[in-house]
Amino acid sequence: MADLATRDKWNKAAASMDLMTGNGELKRWLPFKSRLFGHMEPGKILFASLGTGLDISAFPPGMTITAIDISPEMLKRAQPRVDGYPGEIRPELTDIHEMPYPDGHFDQVFTSCTFCSVPKPVDALSALNRVLKPGGRLYMFEHTGSRYFPFKYMLDFMTVISRNIGPELNRTTVANVKAAGFEVTEVDNLFLDIVKTIKAVKPAD
């Protein structure tokens, strides 16, 4: 059964998403996202979560991408960007915890500020592990909690408020990736230890 509470939260957030995360923030991180998403190769690619499609501008052309999101309002707002992509994006309304795809279905998985938002991050990462083929790669652009004073306490405090209307700001995403059965191959801190890219692989059988 879909997580209706989470779906409702992100449906409500959809109207303000571009205002909150577009323009300045998008321009700031676009070079880093373009470099990360530049690892996309022809094959079966999963992108989680699509949101309003702002990240599409960082995708390399000519790919075939299955892009999931739990929110129909997000997907509705993403559609013009999907239509403008010089390749094929297949938007699908799907709860990341309950994806309908077979085991080992995808060659690569990409995320962008996804794991500050899913309610059960290790379970969701385990679901990504399931649908990724053995030896397949996971590429993530994420913001996380911090180990350093005073940022750790600031993010912990802000999360008390932010989790009710949007993301959690203090997730231990690198540790969660490992807990879900991935082998982390690279972590690149882009802003302190808060904004980062994470590369991981599903161990081959």
Side-chain angles (χ1 to χ4, degrees):
M1 178 179 294
D3 182 347
L4 298 181
T6 299
R7 179 174 294 182
D8 184 59
K9 178 172 78 170
W10 292 107
N11 277 340
K12 292 177 180 177
S16 59
M17 184 61 65
D18 284 5
L19 179 63
M20 297 295 292
T21 62
N23 298 324
E25 183 175 345
L26 178 64
K27 291 178 181 178
R28 179 181 185 183
W29 301 119
L30 184 61
F32 301 99
K33 291 184 177 184
S34 297
R35 184 167 55 195
L36 183 70
F37 301 154
H39 290 281
M40 289 184 182
E41 299 176 348
K44 295 180 179 178
I45 300 169
L46 176 65
F47 186 82
S49 309
L50 183 60
T52 62
L54 285 170
D55 288 311
I56 292 173
S57 63
F59 292 175
M63 298 293 117
T64 299
I65 302 165
T66 298
I68 64 172
D69 204 281
I70 196 172
S71 163
E73 283 298 316
M74 291 287 188
L75 293 181
K76 178 181 177 181
R77 292 173 182 274
Q79 193 60 51
R81 294 178 173 121
V82 169
D83 293 340
Y85 172 67
E88 182 179 2
I89 298 176
R90 303 166 181 166
E92 297 191 1
L93 182 65
T94 300
D95 186 333
I96 194 172
H97 302 89
E98 301 176 1
M99 292 180 290
Y101 314 115
D103 294 358
H105 182 68
F106 291 101
D107 301 303
Q108 295 178 301
V109 175
F110 292 80
T111 76
S112 180
C113 297
T114 303
F115 281 89
C116 56
S117 304
V118 298
K120 295 178 286 185
V122 175
D123 288 352
L125 283 158
S126 296
L128 293 182
N129 188 300
R130 180 187 68 78
V131 301
L132 186 62
K133 72 178 185 181
R137 298 278 174 172
L138 171 66
Y139 298 89
M140 310 175 73
F141 180 95
E142 300 287 339
H143 65 83
T144 70
S146 176
R147 295 175 296 165
Y148 301 117
F149 178 87
F151 306 106
K152 180 183 187 310
Y153 302 101
M154 292 168 59
L155 293 171
D156 287 346
F157 175 76
M158 292 166 64
T159 296
V160 174
I161 300 170
S162 68
R163 64 162 52 107
N164 296 316
I165 57 173
E168 299 193 14
L169 305 176
N170 61 350
R171 291 280 176 85
T172 56
T173 300
V174 175
N176 292 341
V177 171
K178 295 176 182 177
F182 287 98
E183 177 186 340
V184 173
T185 58
E186 183 179 331
V187 177
D188 187 8
N189 290 320
L190 307 178
F191 175 71
L192 302 174
D193 63 338
I194 298 170
V195 180
K196 60 188 57 149
T197 58
I198 304 165
K199 299 176 185 175
V201 62
K202 176 177 178 176
D205 292 341

Coordinates of all heavy atoms in Angstrom, one line a residue, residues 24-104:
G24 N 18.8 30.1 -8.2 CA 20.1 30.2 -7.6 C 20.6 28.9 -7.1 O 21.8 28.5 -7.4
E25 N 19.8 28.1 -6.4 CA 20.3 26.8 -6.0 C 20.6 25.8 -7.1 O 21.6 25.1 -7.1 CB 19.3 26.2 -5.0 CG 19.7 24.8 -4.4 CD 18.8 24.3 -3.4 OE1 17.9 25.0 -2.9 OE2 18.9 23.1 -3.1
L26 N 19.7 25.8 -8.1 CA 19.9 25.0 -9.2 C 21.2 25.3 -10.0 O 22.0 24.5 -10.3 CB 18.7 25.1 -10.2 CG 18.8 24.2 -11.5 CD1 18.9 22.7 -11.1 CD2 17.7 24.5 -12.4
K27 N 21.4 26.6 -10.2 CA 22.6 27.1 -10.9 C 23.9 26.7 -10.1 O 24.9 26.4 -10.7 CB 22.6 28.6 -11.2 CG 21.5 29.0 -12.2 CD 21.4 30.5 -12.3 CE 20.3 30.9 -13.3 NZ 20.2 32.3 -13.5
R28 N 23.8 26.8 -8.8 CA 25.0 26.6 -8.0 C 25.4 25.1 -8.1 O 26.6 24.8 -8.2 CB 24.7 26.9 -6.5 CG 25.8 26.6 -5.5 CD 25.4 26.9 -4.1 NE 26.6 26.7 -3.2 CZ 26.5 26.8 -1.9 NH1 25.3 27.2 -1.3 NH2 27.6 26.7 -1.1
W29 N 24.5 24.2 -8.1 CA 24.8 22.8 -8.1 C 24.8 22.1 -9.4 O 25.2 20.9 -9.5 CB 23.9 22.0 -7.1 CG 23.9 22.6 -5.7 CD1 22.9 23.1 -5.0 CD2 25.1 22.6 -4.8 NE1 23.4 23.5 -3.7 CE2 24.7 23.2 -3.6 CE3 26.4 22.2 -5.0 CZ2 25.6 23.4 -2.6 CZ3 27.3 22.4 -3.9 CH2 26.9 23.0 -2.7
L30 N 24.3 22.8 -10.5 CA 24.2 22.2 -11.8 C 25.5 21.6 -12.3 O 25.5 20.5 -12.8 CB 23.6 23.2 -12.8 CG 23.3 22.7 -14.2 CD1 22.3 21.6 -14.1 CD2 22.9 23.8 -15.1
P31 N 26.7 22.3 -12.2 CA 27.9 21.7 -12.7 C 28.2 20.3 -12.0 O 28.7 19.4 -12.6 CB 29.0 22.7 -12.4 CG 28.2 24.0 -12.3 CD 26.9 23.7 -11.7
F32 N 27.9 20.2 -10.7 CA 28.2 19.0 -10.0 C 27.2 17.9 -10.3 O 27.6 16.7 -10.5 CB 28.2 19.3 -8.5 CG 29.1 20.3 -8.0 CD1 28.7 21.6 -7.8 CD2 30.5 20.0 -7.8 CE1 29.6 22.6 -7.4 CE2 31.4 21.0 -7.4 CZ 30.9 22.3 -7.2
K33 N 26.0 18.3 -10.5 CA 25.0 17.3 -10.9 C 25.3 16.8 -12.4 O 25.1 15.6 -12.7 CB 23.6 17.9 -10.8 CG 23.1 18.1 -9.4 CD 21.7 18.6 -9.4 CE 21.2 18.8 -8.0 NZ 19.7 19.2 -7.9
S34 N 25.6 17.8 -13.2 CA 25.9 17.4 -14.6 C 27.1 16.4 -14.7 O 27.1 15.4 -15.5 CB 26.2 18.6 -15.5 OG 25.1 19.5 -15.5
R35 N 28.1 16.6 -13.8 CA 29.2 15.7 -13.8 C 28.8 14.3 -13.3 O 29.2 13.3 -13.8 CB 30.3 16.3 -12.9 CG 31.6 15.5 -12.9 CD 32.7 16.3 -12.3 NE 32.4 16.8 -11.0 CZ 33.1 17.7 -10.3 NH1 34.1 18.3 -11.0 NH2 32.7 18.1 -9.2
L36 N 28.0 14.3 -12.2 CA 27.5 13.0 -11.7 C 26.6 12.3 -12.6 O 26.8 11.1 -12.9 CB 26.8 13.3 -10.4 CG 26.3 12.0 -9.6 CD1 27.5 11.3 -9.1 CD2 25.4 12.4 -8.5
F37 N 25.6 13.0 -13.2 CA 24.7 12.4 -14.1 C 25.3 12.0 -15.4 O 24.8 11.3 -16.2 CB 23.4 13.2 -14.3 CG 22.7 13.5 -13.0 CD1 21.9 14.7 -12.9 CD2 22.8 12.7 -11.9 CE1 21.2 15.0 -11.7 CE2 22.1 13.0 -10.7 CZ 21.3 14.1 -10.6
G38 N 26.5 12.6 -15.7 CA 27.2 12.3 -16.9 C 27.7 10.9 -16.9 O 28.2 10.4 -17.9
H39 N 27.6 10.2 -15.8 CA 27.9 8.7 -15.7 C 26.8 7.9 -16.3 O 27.0 6.6 -16.4 CB 28.2 8.3 -14.3 CG 29.5 8.9 -13.7 ND1 30.7 8.3 -14.0 CD2 29.7 9.9 -12.9 CE1 31.7 9.0 -13.4 NE2 31.1 10.0 -12.7
M40 N 25.7 8.5 -16.7 CA 24.6 7.7 -17.3 C 25.1 7.1 -18.6 O 25.8 7.7 -19.4 CB 23.4 8.6 -17.6 CG 22.7 9.0 -16.4 SD 21.2 10.0 -16.8 CE 20.5 10.4 -15.2
E41 N 24.8 5.8 -18.7 CA 25.2 5.0 -19.9 C 24.0 4.4 -20.5 O 23.0 4.1 -19.8 CB 26.2 4.0 -19.6 CG 27.5 4.5 -19.0 CD 28.5 3.4 -18.6 OE1 28.0 2.2 -18.6 OE2 29.6 3.7 -18.3
P42 N 24.0 4.2 -21.9 CA 22.8 3.5 -22.5 C 22.5 2.2 -21.8 O 23.4 1.4 -21.4 CB 23.3 3.3 -23.9 CG 24.3 4.4 -24.2 CD 25.0 4.6 -22.8
G43 N 21.3 2.0 -21.5 CA 20.8 0.8 -20.8 C 19.6 1.2 -20.0 O 18.9 2.1 -20.3
K44 N 19.3 0.4 -18.9 CA 18.1 0.6 -18.1 C 18.6 1.5 -16.9 O 19.3 1.0 -16.0 CB 17.5 -0.7 -17.6 CG 17.0 -1.5 -18.8 CD 16.4 -2.8 -18.3 CE 15.8 -3.6 -19.4 NZ 15.3 -5.0 -19.0
I45 N 18.1 2.7 -16.9 CA 18.5 3.7 -15.9 C 17.2 4.0 -15.0 O 16.1 4.3 -15.6 CB 19.0 5.0 -16.5 CG1 20.2 4.7 -17.4 CG2 19.3 6.0 -15.5 CD1 20.6 5.9 -18.2
L46 N 17.4 4.0 -13.7 CA 16.4 4.5 -12.8 C 16.8 5.8 -12.1 O 17.9 5.9 -11.6 CB 16.1 3.4 -11.7 CG 15.1 3.8 -10.6 CD1 13.7 3.9 -11.2 CD2 15.1 2.7 -9.5
F47 N 15.9 6.8 -12.1 CA 16.1 8.0 -11.4 C 15.1 8.2 -10.3 O 13.9 8.1 -10.6 CB 16.1 9.2 -12.4 CG 16.4 10.5 -11.7 CD1 17.8 10.9 -11.6 CD2 15.5 11.4 -11.3 CE1 18.1 12.1 -11.0 CE2 15.8 12.6 -10.7 CZ 17.1 12.9 -10.5
A48 N 15.5 8.4 -9.1 CA 14.6 8.5 -8.0 C 15.0 9.7 -7.1 O 16.2 9.7 -6.7 CB 14.6 7.2 -7.1
S49 N 14.3 10.7 -6.9 CA 12.9 10.9 -7.3 C 12.9 12.1 -8.3 O 13.7 13.0 -8.2 CB 12.0 11.3 -6.1 OG 12.2 10.3 -5.1
L50 N 11.9 12.1 -9.2 CA 11.9 13.1 -10.3 C 11.5 14.5 -9.8 O 12.0 15.5 -10.3 CB 10.9 12.7 -11.4 CG 10.9 13.6 -12.6 CD1 12.2 13.7 -13.3 CD2 9.8 13.1 -13.6
G51 N 10.6 14.6 -8.8 CA 10.1 15.9 -8.3 C 9.5 16.7 -9.5 O 8.8 16.1 -10.3
T52 N 9.8 18.0 -9.6 CA 9.2 18.8 -10.7 C 10.1 18.7 -11.9 O 9.9 19.5 -12.9 CB 9.0 20.2 -10.2 OG1 10.3 20.8 -9.9 CG2 8.0 20.3 -9.1
G53 N 11.1 17.9 -11.9 CA 11.9 17.7 -13.1 C 13.1 18.7 -13.2 O 13.7 18.8 -14.3
L54 N 13.4 19.5 -12.2 CA 14.5 20.4 -12.3 C 15.8 19.8 -12.7 O 16.7 20.4 -13.4 CB 14.7 21.2 -11.0 CG 13.6 22.3 -10.7 CD1 13.7 22.8 -9.3 CD2 13.7 23.4 -11.7
D55 N 16.0 18.5 -12.2 CA 17.3 17.9 -12.5 C 17.5 17.4 -13.9 O 18.6 17.1 -14.4 CB 17.5 16.7 -11.6 CG 17.7 17.0 -10.1 OD1 18.6 17.9 -9.9 OD2 17.0 16.5 -9.2
I56 N 16.4 17.4 -14.7 CA 16.5 17.0 -16.1 C 17.5 17.8 -16.9 O 18.2 17.3 -17.8 CB 15.1 17.0 -16.7 CG1 14.2 15.9 -16.1 CG2 15.2 16.8 -18.2 CD1 12.7 16.0 -16.6
S57 N 17.7 19.1 -16.5 CA 18.6 19.9 -17.3 C 20.0 19.4 -17.1 O 20.9 19.8 -17.9 CB 18.5 21.4 -16.8 OG 18.8 21.5 -15.4
A58 N 20.3 18.6 -16.1 CA 21.7 18.1 -15.9 C 21.9 16.7 -16.5 O 22.9 16.1 -16.4 CB 22.0 18.0 -14.4
F59 N 20.8 16.1 -17.1 CA 20.9 14.8 -17.7 C 21.7 14.9 -19.1 O 21.4 15.8 -19.9 CB 19.5 14.2 -18.0 CG 18.8 13.8 -16.7 CD1 17.5 13.4 -16.9 CD2 19.3 13.9 -15.5 CE1 16.7 13.0 -15.8 CE2 18.6 13.6 -14.4 CZ 17.3 13.1 -14.5
P60 N 22.5 13.9 -19.4 CA 23.1 13.9 -20.7 C 22.0 13.5 -21.7 O 21.0 12.8 -21.4 CB 24.1 12.8 -20.6 CG 23.7 11.9 -19.5 CD 23.0 12.8 -18.5
P61 N 22.1 13.9 -23.0 CA 21.0 13.6 -24.0 C 21.1 12.2 -24.4 O 22.1 11.5 -24.2 CB 21.4 14.6 -25.1 CG 22.9 14.7 -25.0 CD 23.2 14.8 -23.5
G62 N 19.9 11.7 -24.9 CA 19.9 10.5 -25.6 C 19.7 9.2 -24.7 O 19.8 8.1 -25.2
M63 N 19.4 9.5 -23.4 CA 19.3 8.3 -22.5 C 17.8 7.9 -22.5 O 16.9 8.6 -22.8 CB 19.7 8.7 -21.1 CG 21.2 9.1 -21.0 SD 22.3 7.7 -21.3 CE 23.1 8.3 -22.7
T64 N 17.6 6.7 -22.0 CA 16.2 6.2 -21.7 C 16.2 5.9 -20.2 O 16.9 5.1 -19.6 CB 15.9 4.8 -22.4 OG1 16.0 5.1 -23.9 CG2 14.6 4.3 -22.1
I65 N 15.3 6.7 -19.5 CA 15.3 6.8 -18.1 C 13.9 6.6 -17.5 O 13.0 7.2 -17.9 CB 15.8 8.2 -17.6 CG1 17.2 8.5 -18.2 CG2 15.8 8.3 -16.1 CD1 17.6 10.0 -18.1
T66 N 13.8 5.7 -16.6 CA 12.6 5.5 -15.8 C 12.7 6.4 -14.6 O 13.7 6.3 -13.8 CB 12.4 4.1 -15.3 OG1 12.3 3.2 -16.5 CG2 11.2 3.9 -14.5
A67 N 11.8 7.4 -14.4 CA 11.9 8.4 -13.4 C 10.7 8.2 -12.5 O 9.6 8.5 -12.9 CB 12.0 9.8 -13.9
I68 N 10.9 7.9 -11.2 CA 9.8 7.7 -10.3 C 9.6 8.8 -9.3 O 10.5 9.6 -9.0 CB 10.0 6.3 -9.5 CG1 11.2 6.4 -8.6 CG2 10.1 5.2 -10.5 CD1 11.3 5.2 -7.7
D69 N 8.4 8.9 -8.9 CA 8.1 9.8 -7.8 C 6.8 9.4 -7.1 O 5.9 8.8 -7.7 CB 7.9 11.3 -8.3 CG 8.2 12.3 -7.1 OD1 7.3 12.5 -6.3 OD2 9.3 12.8 -7.1
I70 N 6.7 9.6 -5.8 CA 5.5 9.2 -5.1 C 4.3 10.2 -5.2 O 3.2 9.9 -5.0 CB 5.8 9.1 -3.6 CG1 4.7 8.3 -2.9 CG2 6.1 10.4 -2.9 CD1 5.1 7.9 -1.4
S71 N 4.6 11.4 -5.7 CA 3.6 12.5 -5.8 C 3.1 12.7 -7.2 O 3.9 13.1 -8.1 CB 4.3 13.8 -5.3 OG 3.5 14.9 -5.6
P72 N 1.8 12.6 -7.4 CA 1.3 12.9 -8.8 C 1.4 14.4 -9.1 O 1.5 14.7 -10.3 CB -0.2 12.4 -8.7 CG -0.5 12.3 -7.2 CD 0.8 12.0 -6.6
E73 N 1.3 15.2 -8.1 CA 1.5 16.7 -8.4 C 2.9 17.0 -8.9 O 3.1 17.8 -9.7 CB 1.1 17.5 -7.1 CG -0.4 17.6 -6.9 CD -1.1 18.3 -8.0 OE1 -0.6 19.3 -8.5 OE2 -2.2 17.8 -8.4
M74 N 3.9 16.4 -8.3 CA 5.3 16.6 -8.7 C 5.4 16.1 -10.2 O 6.0 16.9 -11.0 CB 6.2 15.8 -7.9 CG 6.4 16.3 -6.5 SD 7.3 17.9 -6.4 CE 7.5 18.0 -4.6
L75 N 4.9 15.0 -10.5 CA 5.0 14.4 -11.9 C 4.2 15.3 -12.9 O 4.7 15.5 -14.0 CB 4.5 13.0 -11.9 CG 5.3 12.0 -11.2 CD1 4.7 10.6 -11.3 CD2 6.8 12.0 -11.6
K76 N 3.1 15.8 -12.5 CA 2.3 16.7 -13.3 C 3.2 18.0 -13.7 O 3.2 18.4 -14.8 CB 1.0 17.1 -12.6 CG 0.2 18.1 -13.4 CD -1.1 18.5 -12.6 CE -1.9 19.5 -13.4 NZ -3.2 19.9 -12.6
R77 N 3.8 18.6 -12.7 CA 4.6 19.7 -12.9 C 5.9 19.4 -13.7 O 6.5 20.3 -14.3 CB 4.9 20.4 -11.6 CG 3.7 21.0 -10.9 CD 3.9 21.6 -9.5 NE 2.7 22.1 -9.0 CZ 2.2 23.3 -9.1 NH1 2.9 24.2 -9.9 NH2 1.1 23.7 -8.6
A78 N 6.4 18.2 -13.6 CA 7.6 17.8 -14.3 C 7.3 17.6 -15.8 O 8.3 17.6 -16.6 CB 8.2 16.5 -13.7
Q79 N 6.1 17.3 -16.2 CA 5.8 16.9 -17.5 C 6.4 17.8 -18.6 O 6.9 17.3 -19.6 CB 4.3 16.7 -17.7 CG 4.0 15.9 -19.0 CD 4.6 14.5 -19.0 OE1 4.4 13.7 -18.1 NE2 5.3 14.2 -20.1
P80 N 6.3 19.1 -18.5 CA 6.9 19.9 -19.6 C 8.4 19.7 -19.7 O 8.9 19.7 -20.9 CB 6.6 21.4 -19.2 CG 5.3 21.2 -18.3 CD 5.5 19.9 -17.6
R81 N 9.1 19.5 -18.6 CA 10.5 19.2 -18.7 C 10.8 17.9 -19.3 O 11.8 17.7 -20.0 CB 11.1 19.4 -17.3 CG 11.0 20.9 -16.8 CD 11.6 21.0 -15.4 NE 11.7 22.5 -15.1 CZ 11.1 23.0 -14.0 NH1 10.4 22.2 -13.2 NH2 11.1 24.3 -13.8
V82 N 10.0 16.9 -18.9 CA 10.1 15.6 -19.5 C 9.9 15.6 -21.0 O 10.7 15.1 -21.8 CB 9.0 14.6 -18.9 CG1 8.9 13.3 -19.7 CG2 9.3 14.3 -17.4
D83 N 8.9 16.4 -21.5 CA 8.6 16.5 -22.9 C 9.8 17.2 -23.6 O 10.0 16.9 -24.8 CB 7.3 17.3 -23.1 CG 6.1 16.6 -22.6 OD1 6.2 15.4 -22.5 OD2 5.1 17.3 -22.4
G84 N 10.5 18.1 -23.0 CA 11.6 18.8 -23.6 C 12.9 18.1 -23.6 O 13.9 18.6 -24.2
Y85 N 13.0 16.9 -22.9 CA 14.3 16.2 -22.8 C 14.6 15.5 -24.1 O 13.8 14.8 -24.7 CB 14.2 15.2 -21.7 CG 15.4 14.3 -21.7 CD1 16.7 14.8 -21.3 CD2 15.3 12.9 -22.0 CE1 17.8 14.0 -21.3 CE2 16.4 12.1 -21.9 CZ 17.7 12.6 -21.6 OH 18.8 11.8 -21.6
P86 N 15.9 15.7 -24.6 CA 16.3 15.1 -25.9 C 16.7 13.6 -25.7 O 17.8 13.2 -25.9 CB 17.5 16.0 -26.3 CG 18.1 16.4 -25.0 CD 16.9 16.6 -24.1
G87 N 15.7 12.9 -25.4 CA 15.9 11.4 -25.1 C 14.5 10.9 -24.7 O 13.5 11.5 -25.0
E88 N 14.5 9.9 -23.8 CA 13.2 9.3 -23.4 C 13.2 9.2 -21.8 O 14.1 8.6 -21.3 CB 13.0 8.0 -24.0 CG 11.6 7.4 -23.5 CD 11.3 6.0 -24.2 OE1 12.2 5.5 -24.9 OE2 10.2 5.5 -23.9
I89 N 12.3 9.9 -21.2 CA 12.0 9.8 -19.8 C 10.6 9.2 -19.6 O 9.7 9.8 -20.1 CB 12.2 11.2 -19.1 CG1 13.6 11.7 -19.2 CG2 11.8 11.0 -17.6 CD1 13.8 13.1 -18.6
R90 N 10.6 8.2 -18.8 CA 9.3 7.5 -18.5 C 8.9 7.8 -17.1 O 9.4 7.2 -16.2 CB 9.4 6.0 -18.7 CG 9.8 5.6 -20.1 CD 10.2 4.2 -20.2 NE 10.7 3.8 -21.5 CZ 11.3 2.7 -21.8 NH1 11.6 1.8 -20.8 NH2 11.7 2.4 -23.0
P91 N 8.1 8.8 -16.8 CA 7.7 9.2 -15.4 C 6.7 8.1 -14.9 O 5.7 7.7 -15.6 CB 7.0 10.5 -15.6 CG 7.2 11.0 -17.0 CD 7.4 9.7 -17.8
E92 N 6.9 7.6 -13.7 CA 6.1 6.6 -13.1 C 5.8 7.0 -11.7 O 6.7 7.3 -10.9 CB 6.7 5.2 -13.3 CG 6.9 4.8 -14.7 CD 7.3 3.3 -14.9 OE1 7.4 2.6 -13.8 OE2 7.6 2.9 -16.0
L93 N 4.5 6.9 -11.4 CA 4.0 7.1 -10.0 C 4.3 5.9 -9.2 O 3.6 4.9 -9.3 CB 2.5 7.5 -10.0 CG 1.9 7.9 -8.7 CD1 2.5 9.1 -8.1 CD2 0.4 8.0 -8.8
T94 N 5.3 6.0 -8.3 CA 5.7 4.8 -7.6 C 6.3 5.2 -6.2 O 7.0 6.1 -6.1 CB 6.8 4.0 -8.4 OG1 6.3 3.6 -9.7 CG2 7.3 2.8 -7.7
D95 N 5.9 4.4 -5.2 CA 6.6 4.5 -3.9 C 7.9 3.8 -4.0 O 7.9 2.6 -4.3 CB 5.6 3.9 -2.8 CG 6.1 4.1 -1.4 OD1 7.4 4.3 -1.2 OD2 5.3 4.2 -0.5
I96 N 9.0 4.4 -3.7 CA 10.3 3.8 -3.8 C 10.4 2.6 -2.9 O 11.2 1.7 -3.2 CB 11.4 4.9 -3.4 CG1 12.8 4.4 -3.8 CG2 11.4 5.2 -1.9 CD1 13.9 5.4 -3.7
H97 N 9.7 2.5 -1.8 CA 9.7 1.4 -0.9 C 9.0 0.1 -1.6 O 9.2 -1.0 -1.1 CB 9.0 1.7 0.4 CG 9.7 2.8 1.1 ND1 9.3 4.1 0.9 CD2 10.7 2.9 2.1 CE1 10.0 4.9 1.7 NE2 10.8 4.2 2.4
E98 N 8.1 0.4 -2.5 CA 7.3 -0.7 -3.1 C 7.4 -0.7 -4.6 O 6.3 -0.8 -5.3 CB 5.9 -0.5 -2.6 CG 5.7 -0.6 -1.1 CD 4.3 -0.3 -0.7 OE1 3.4 -0.1 -1.5 OE2 4.1 -0.3 0.6
M99 N 8.5 -0.6 -5.2 CA 8.7 -0.5 -6.6 C 8.3 -1.8 -7.3 O 8.6 -2.9 -6.7 CB 10.1 -0.2 -7.0 CG 10.5 1.2 -6.6 SD 12.3 1.6 -7.1 CE 13.2 0.6 -5.9
P100 N 7.6 -1.8 -8.4 CA 7.1 -3.0 -9.0 C 8.1 -3.7 -9.9 O 7.7 -4.7 -10.6 CB 5.9 -2.5 -9.9 CG 6.3 -1.1 -10.3 CD 7.1 -0.6 -9.1
Y101 N 9.3 -3.3 -10.0 CA 10.2 -3.8 -11.0 C 10.9 -5.1 -10.5 O 11.0 -5.3 -9.3 CB 11.3 -2.8 -11.2 CG 10.8 -1.4 -11.5 CD1 11.1 -0.4 -10.6 CD2 10.0 -1.1 -12.6 CE1 10.5 0.9 -10.8 CE2 9.4 0.1 -12.8 CZ 9.7 1.1 -11.9 OH 9.2 2.4 -12.1
P102 N 11.2 -6.0 -11.4 CA 11.9 -7.3 -11.0 C 13.2 -7.1 -10.4 O 13.9 -6.0 -10.6 CB 12.0 -8.0 -12.3 CG 11.2 -7.3 -13.3 CD 11.1 -5.9 -12.9
D103 N 13.7 -8.1 -9.7 CA 15.1 -8.0 -9.1 C 16.1 -7.9 -10.2 O 16.0 -8.5 -11.3 CB 15.4 -9.3 -8.4 CG 14.5 -9.5 -7.1 OD1 13.7 -8.6 -6.8 OD2 14.7 -10.6 -6.5
G104 N 17.1 -7.0 -10.0 CA 18.2 -6.9 -11.0 C 17.7 -6.2 -12.3 O 18.4 -6.4 -13.3

